[in-house]
Amino acid sequence: VSGAAGLRAGCPMVLSRLERSYVQEGVAQQVRWDGRARDHFRNLHLQVEDVVPQANGSSRIRVGGTEVIVGVKAEIGAPLDGAPRCGRIEVNVECGCRMGKVSAQYFDVQEQ
């Protein structure tokens, strides 16, 4: 899988000979694939307040037509029965429909 389809599928990007030539020619001419000059950047907008009201912290960033929203939620809970002096951090990452869902990971925190 190559190009943008490869990125969406979670595969490493592999360029064909033609694609590689296209990219190299653009670099030589100092023009990006979308016609922008190398030193012309997309507009950037960052919002850090009131993005996800249910989260303890959240932000939104927009770069050109791409938007990413991040929310963090934290709560205090009781330690596990087998480790009464240790804490636990649960991380759950959810991505939009193009990326699918990443399963939760758990990290045990040892008392220092």
Side-chain angles (χ1 to χ4, degrees), residues 8-105:
R8 284 193 295 275
C11 302
M13 186 186 304
V14 179
L15 298 177
S16 70
R17 222 178 258 178
L18 184 60
E19 289 170 319
R20 187 176 302 125
S21 173
Y22 180 78
V23 171
Q24 290 171 335
E25 187 64 26
V27 170
Q29 294 180 17
Q30 298 191 18
V31 176
R32 299 174 193 236
W33 67 270
D34 60 1
R36 291 181 294 131
R38 277 188 6 181
D39 62 350
H40 182 255
F41 298 96
R42 293 183 177 122
N43 291 330
L44 178 116
H45 175 74
L46 176 64
Q47 178 184 356
V48 294
E49 294 180 5
D50 304 323
V51 177
V52 181
Q54 302 86 349
N56 298 102
S58 60
S59 63
R60 172 194 332 249
I61 186 166
R62 290 186 189 129
V63 181
T66 303
E67 178 178 35
V68 176
I69 298 174
V70 176
V72 176
K73 188 161 177 86
E75 52 187 63
I76 298 174
L80 298 173
D81 292 337
R85 298 177 57 87
C86 296
R88 181 173 150 175
I89 298 173
E90 180 179 325
V91 178
N92 187 15
V93 178
E94 293 184 29
C95 300
C97 61
R98 290 186 181 181
M99 294 296 294
K101 184 173 181 177
V102 178
S103 54
Q105 295 182 17

